[in-house]
Amino acid sequence: MPASDLALLEQAAQEAGEIALRYWRRDPQAWDKADGAGPVTEADLAVNAHLERLLRAARPDYGWLSEESADDPARLEAEHCFIIDPIDGTRAFIDGQVGFSHALAITRGDRVVAGVVHLPAQRTTYAASADGPALRDGKPIAPATHGLDGARVLTSKAGLDPAHWRGAAPPVMRSFRPSLAWRLCLVADGQFDATLSVRPAWEWDVAAGSLIAARAGCLASDLAGAPMRFNAVRPLTDGLVVAAPALHGQLIAAMTPRMAMPGGRVDAPPPAD
Protein backbone atom coordinates (compact mmCIF):
# COMPACT_ATOMS: atom_id res chain seq x y z
CA MET A 1 0.00 0.00 0.00
CA PRO A 2 1.40 3.47 -0.82
CA ALA A 3 2.94 5.21 2.17
CA SER A 4 1.83 8.73 1.25
CA ASP A 5 -1.66 10.08 0.70
CA LEU A 6 -0.68 11.45 -2.70
CA ALA A 7 0.68 8.11 -3.87
CA LEU A 8 -2.53 6.46 -2.68
CA LEU A 9 -4.64 8.89 -4.69
CA GLU A 10 -2.49 8.42 -7.78
CA GLN A 11 -2.87 4.66 -7.58
CA ALA A 12 -6.61 4.98 -7.05
CA ALA A 13 -7.02 7.38 -9.96
CA GLN A 14 -5.21 5.04 -12.34
CA GLU A 15 -7.44 2.16 -11.30
CA ALA A 16 -10.51 4.36 -11.67
CA GLY A 17 -9.45 5.15 -15.22
CA GLU A 18 -9.09 1.49 -16.09
CA ILE A 19 -12.65 0.86 -14.90
CA ALA A 20 -14.12 3.89 -16.67
CA LEU A 21 -12.53 2.99 -19.99
CA ARG A 22 -14.25 -0.39 -19.92
CA TYR A 23 -17.56 1.48 -20.28
CA TRP A 24 -16.48 4.50 -22.36
CA ARG A 25 -17.81 4.52 -25.91
CA ARG A 26 -19.63 1.24 -25.18
CA ASP A 27 -23.11 2.68 -24.62
CA PRO A 28 -23.11 2.53 -20.80
CA GLN A 29 -26.44 2.57 -19.01
CA ALA A 30 -27.26 6.15 -18.00
CA TRP A 31 -30.14 7.89 -16.24
CA ASP A 32 -30.95 11.23 -14.61
CA LYS A 33 -30.62 11.62 -10.88
CA ALA A 34 -33.44 13.09 -8.81
CA ASP A 35 -33.97 16.81 -8.24
CA GLY A 36 -32.18 17.89 -11.41
CA ALA A 37 -28.83 16.63 -10.10
CA GLY A 38 -27.72 15.61 -13.58
CA PRO A 39 -26.89 12.34 -15.28
CA VAL A 40 -25.17 9.30 -13.82
CA THR A 41 -24.00 6.11 -15.48
CA GLU A 42 -23.18 2.61 -14.42
CA ALA A 43 -19.54 3.61 -14.87
CA ASP A 44 -19.85 6.42 -12.27
CA LEU A 45 -21.19 3.91 -9.75
CA ALA A 46 -18.60 1.23 -10.56
CA VAL A 47 -15.76 3.72 -10.18
CA ASN A 48 -17.23 5.09 -6.96
CA ALA A 49 -17.62 1.62 -5.44
CA HIS A 50 -14.04 0.69 -6.28
CA LEU A 51 -12.62 3.93 -4.93
CA GLU A 52 -14.57 3.67 -1.70
CA ARG A 53 -13.38 0.10 -1.11
CA LEU A 54 -9.76 0.93 -1.90
CA LEU A 55 -9.43 4.27 -0.16
CA ARG A 56 -11.45 3.55 2.97
CA ALA A 57 -9.61 0.28 3.49
CA ALA A 58 -6.29 2.14 3.25
CA ARG A 59 -7.36 5.03 5.52
CA PRO A 60 -10.24 3.78 7.69
CA ASP A 61 -10.14 6.83 9.96
CA TYR A 62 -10.67 9.29 7.08
CA GLY A 63 -14.09 10.73 6.30
CA TRP A 64 -15.78 10.22 2.94
CA LEU A 65 -17.53 12.73 0.66
CA SER A 66 -18.36 11.65 -2.89
CA GLU A 67 -20.84 12.82 -5.50
CA GLU A 68 -22.15 9.28 -5.85
CA SER A 69 -22.36 8.30 -2.16
CA ALA A 70 -24.92 9.21 0.47
CA ASP A 71 -23.43 11.92 2.67
CA ASP A 72 -22.22 10.63 6.04
CA PRO A 73 -22.13 13.40 8.69
CA ALA A 74 -19.32 11.51 10.43
CA ARG A 75 -16.94 13.07 7.91
CA LEU A 76 -17.32 16.38 9.74
CA GLU A 77 -15.67 14.91 12.83
CA ALA A 78 -12.74 13.30 11.00
CA GLU A 79 -9.37 15.05 10.89
CA HIS A 80 -8.95 13.99 7.26
CA CYS A 81 -11.58 13.46 4.58
CA PHE A 82 -11.62 12.07 1.06
CA ILE A 83 -13.47 14.30 -1.42
CA ILE A 84 -14.18 12.38 -4.61
CA ASP A 85 -15.82 12.90 -7.97
CA PRO A 86 -15.80 9.44 -9.58
CA ILE A 87 -16.38 10.90 -13.06
CA ASP A 88 -16.32 14.67 -13.52
CA GLY A 89 -17.88 15.51 -16.87
CA THR A 90 -20.40 12.69 -17.04
CA ARG A 91 -22.20 14.21 -20.02
CA ALA A 92 -18.92 14.20 -21.96
CA PHE A 93 -18.34 10.60 -20.89
CA ILE A 94 -21.78 9.59 -22.17
CA ASP A 95 -21.13 11.38 -25.46
CA GLY A 96 -17.83 9.55 -25.94
CA GLN A 97 -15.73 12.71 -25.56
CA VAL A 98 -12.24 12.62 -24.02
CA GLY A 99 -12.84 15.51 -21.60
CA PHE A 100 -13.90 13.61 -18.49
CA SER A 101 -11.78 13.11 -15.41
CA HIS A 102 -11.49 11.48 -12.01
CA ALA A 103 -11.01 14.06 -9.25
CA LEU A 104 -9.64 12.79 -5.93
CA ALA A 105 -8.67 14.92 -2.94
CA ILE A 106 -7.84 14.61 0.73
CA THR A 107 -8.49 17.38 3.21
CA ARG A 108 -7.07 18.02 6.64
CA GLY A 109 -9.50 20.22 8.45
CA ASP A 110 -10.90 22.54 5.80
CA ARG A 111 -7.79 22.57 3.57
CA VAL A 112 -6.87 20.23 0.72
CA VAL A 113 -3.53 18.50 1.35
CA ALA A 114 -3.40 16.09 -1.61
CA GLY A 115 -5.12 16.13 -4.98
CA VAL A 116 -5.13 14.18 -8.23
CA VAL A 117 -7.05 14.82 -11.44
CA HIS A 118 -6.70 11.98 -13.94
CA LEU A 119 -7.98 12.05 -17.52
CA PRO A 120 -7.82 8.42 -18.62
CA ALA A 121 -8.88 8.92 -22.23
CA GLN A 122 -6.05 11.45 -22.60
CA ARG A 123 -3.55 9.48 -20.50
CA THR A 124 -2.86 12.59 -18.46
CA THR A 125 -2.53 12.96 -14.69
CA TYR A 126 -2.24 16.15 -12.64
CA ALA A 127 -1.18 15.87 -9.01
CA ALA A 128 -0.04 17.94 -6.04
CA SER A 129 0.46 17.77 -2.31
CA ALA A 130 0.34 20.69 0.10
CA ASP A 131 4.13 20.78 0.42
CA GLY A 132 5.17 19.86 -3.13
CA PRO A 133 5.00 21.15 -6.70
CA ALA A 134 2.07 20.77 -9.04
CA LEU A 135 2.82 18.09 -11.62
CA ARG A 136 1.50 16.99 -14.97
CA ASP A 137 2.61 13.44 -15.70
CA GLY A 138 5.43 13.88 -13.21
CA LYS A 139 6.74 17.21 -14.55
CA PRO A 140 6.31 20.59 -12.81
CA ILE A 141 3.78 23.01 -14.25
CA ALA A 142 3.18 26.75 -13.90
CA PRO A 143 0.43 29.16 -14.96
CA ALA A 144 0.60 31.73 -17.73
CA THR A 145 1.10 35.40 -16.83
CA HIS A 146 -1.40 37.25 -19.02
CA GLY A 147 -3.29 40.46 -18.36
CA LEU A 148 -7.05 40.80 -18.41
CA ASP A 149 -7.40 42.07 -22.00
CA GLY A 150 -7.49 39.08 -24.31
CA ALA A 151 -7.08 36.56 -21.49
CA ARG A 152 -8.08 32.99 -22.35
CA VAL A 153 -10.80 32.22 -19.81
CA LEU A 154 -12.56 28.91 -19.26
CA THR A 155 -16.14 29.65 -18.22
CA SER A 156 -19.73 29.07 -19.22
CA LYS A 157 -21.69 31.72 -21.11
CA ALA A 158 -23.17 32.77 -17.77
CA GLY A 159 -19.70 33.73 -16.59
CA LEU A 160 -19.61 36.70 -18.94
CA ASP A 161 -23.14 37.93 -18.25
CA PRO A 162 -22.76 41.71 -17.68
CA ALA A 163 -24.74 41.36 -14.43
CA HIS A 164 -21.64 39.85 -12.83
CA TRP A 165 -19.29 42.66 -13.88
CA ARG A 166 -18.80 46.35 -13.20
CA GLY A 167 -20.23 47.52 -16.50
CA ALA A 168 -19.53 45.32 -19.50
CA ALA A 169 -17.83 41.95 -19.26
CA PRO A 170 -14.05 42.21 -19.84
CA PRO A 171 -12.57 41.62 -23.32
CA VAL A 172 -11.52 38.02 -22.79
CA MET A 173 -11.50 34.98 -25.06
CA ARG A 174 -14.02 32.50 -23.66
CA SER A 175 -13.64 28.75 -23.96
CA PHE A 176 -15.24 25.81 -22.18
CA ARG A 177 -14.29 22.30 -21.14
CA PRO A 178 -16.76 19.74 -19.74
CA SER A 179 -14.86 18.79 -16.56
CA LEU A 180 -14.54 21.56 -13.98
CA ALA A 181 -11.62 19.76 -12.32
CA TRP A 182 -9.85 19.69 -15.69
CA ARG A 183 -10.46 23.42 -16.20
CA LEU A 184 -8.55 24.22 -13.02
CA CYS A 185 -5.67 22.02 -14.15
CA LEU A 186 -5.54 23.64 -17.58
CA VAL A 187 -5.05 27.00 -15.88
CA ALA A 188 -2.41 25.54 -13.55
CA ASP A 189 -0.65 24.20 -16.64
CA GLY A 190 -0.67 27.55 -18.48
CA GLN A 191 -2.85 26.29 -21.33
CA PHE A 192 -5.49 28.85 -20.34
CA ASP A 193 -5.13 32.02 -18.30
CA ALA A 194 -8.08 31.72 -15.91
CA THR A 195 -11.21 29.82 -15.08
CA LEU A 196 -14.23 31.14 -13.24
CA SER A 197 -17.70 30.08 -12.25
CA VAL A 198 -20.34 32.55 -11.17
CA ARG A 199 -22.46 29.68 -9.91
CA PRO A 200 -21.89 27.57 -6.79
CA ALA A 201 -19.57 24.62 -7.30
CA TRP A 202 -19.68 21.28 -5.54
CA GLU A 203 -16.60 20.55 -3.49
CA TRP A 204 -15.92 17.28 -5.30
CA ASP A 205 -15.61 19.20 -8.58
CA VAL A 206 -12.99 21.66 -7.36
CA ALA A 207 -11.14 20.32 -4.30
CA ALA A 208 -8.38 18.42 -6.13
CA GLY A 209 -7.97 21.00 -8.89
CA SER A 210 -7.81 23.92 -6.45
CA LEU A 211 -4.75 22.47 -4.75
CA ILE A 212 -3.07 21.67 -8.06
CA ALA A 213 -3.69 25.23 -9.22
CA ALA A 214 -2.44 26.72 -5.97
CA ARG A 215 0.76 24.65 -5.92
CA ALA A 216 1.40 25.65 -9.54
CA GLY A 217 1.34 29.31 -8.50
CA CYS A 218 -2.27 30.36 -9.03
CA LEU A 219 -4.69 31.93 -6.61
CA ALA A 220 -7.84 29.85 -6.21
CA SER A 221 -10.69 31.65 -4.45
CA ASP A 222 -14.44 32.04 -4.26
CA LEU A 223 -16.16 34.96 -5.98
CA ALA A 224 -15.45 37.25 -3.02
CA GLY A 225 -11.73 36.56 -3.37
CA ALA A 226 -11.62 34.47 -0.19
CA PRO A 227 -9.75 31.14 -0.03
CA MET A 228 -12.00 28.15 -0.57
CA ARG A 229 -12.73 25.93 2.42
CA PHE A 230 -13.68 22.28 2.17
CA ASN A 231 -15.51 19.51 3.99
CA ALA A 232 -18.28 21.93 4.88
CA VAL A 233 -21.68 20.87 6.20
CA ARG A 234 -23.13 21.81 2.82
CA PRO A 235 -20.30 20.98 0.42
CA LEU A 236 -20.57 23.91 -1.98
CA THR A 237 -18.22 26.79 -2.75
CA ASP A 238 -19.55 30.23 -3.61
CA GLY A 239 -18.30 30.09 -7.20
CA LEU A 240 -14.61 30.26 -8.05
CA VAL A 241 -11.91 32.38 -9.65
CA VAL A 242 -8.60 30.71 -10.51
CA ALA A 243 -5.68 32.49 -12.21
CA ALA A 244 -2.12 33.65 -11.68
CA PRO A 245 -2.05 36.30 -8.91
CA ALA A 246 -2.03 39.46 -11.07
CA LEU A 247 -4.86 38.32 -13.33
CA HIS A 248 -6.80 36.94 -10.37
CA GLY A 249 -6.72 40.39 -8.79
CA GLN A 250 -7.85 42.02 -12.03
CA LEU A 251 -10.78 39.61 -12.35
CA ILE A 252 -11.93 40.12 -8.76
CA ALA A 253 -11.65 43.90 -9.14
CA ALA A 254 -13.66 43.84 -12.38
CA MET A 255 -16.49 41.75 -10.96
CA THR A 256 -19.57 43.06 -9.21
CA PRO A 257 -18.74 43.16 -5.47
CA ARG A 258 -19.89 40.10 -3.59
CA MET A 259 -20.20 39.51 0.12
CA ALA A 260 -18.22 36.58 1.49
CA MET A 261 -20.59 33.91 2.78
CA PRO A 262 -19.79 32.68 6.30
CA GLY A 263 -19.33 29.01 7.04
CA GLY A 264 -19.21 28.01 3.40
CA ARG A 265 -22.95 28.80 3.03
CA VAL A 266 -24.24 29.04 -0.52
CA ASP A 267 -27.86 29.83 -1.25
CA ALA A 268 -28.47 27.60 -4.26
CA PRO A 269 -26.87 24.44 -5.62
CA PRO A 270 -25.26 24.53 -9.04
CA PRO A 271 -27.17 23.33 -12.06
CA ALA A 272 -26.34 19.87 -13.38
CA ASP A 273 -23.43 19.94 -15.80
Side-chain angles (χ1 to χ4, degrees), residues 203-263:
E203 289 188 11
W204 46 73
D205 289 329
V206 299
S210 70
L211 177 64
I212 293 165
R215 296 307 300 169
C218 295
L219 292 180
S221 77
D222 65 17
L223 292 174
M228 289 183 281
R229 300 286 188 262
F230 295 93
N231 198 25
V233 173
R234 194 169 187 220
L236 287 164
T237 70
D238 185 23
L240 63 93
V241 180
V242 179
L247 179 55
H248 183 277
Q250 291 176 315
L251 286 165
I252 293 293
M255 298 187 80
T256 302
R258 191 177 186 93
M259 293 294 291
M261 305 182 94

Side-chain angles (χ1 to χ4, degrees), residues 43-123:
D44 294 77
L45 301 185
V47 169
N48 189 65
H50 177 78
L51 290 176
E52 187 164 9
R53 285 193 301 267
L54 173 67
L55 296 175
R56 302 197 82 170
R59 303 287 190 270
D61 56 332
Y62 285 20
W64 181 262
L65 174 64
S66 168
E67 180 176 11
E68 308 304 344
S69 299
D71 194 4
D72 181 357
R75 66 180 171 83
L76 302 172
E77 306 301 323
E79 181 179 4
H80 294 84
C81 185
F82 291 108
I83 300 182
I84 305 295
D85 194 340
I87 296 181
D88 184 34
T90 297
R91 293 187 190 278
F93 181 85
I94 294 170
D95 290 342
Q97 300 175 27
V98 300
F100 66 92
S101 71
H102 309 295
L104 288 66
I106 293 173
T107 58
R108 182 175 184 181
D110 60 7
R111 300 299 183 93
V112 183
V113 294
V116 171
V117 175
H118 178 53
L119 295 102
Q122 302 185 49
R123 299 182 180 179

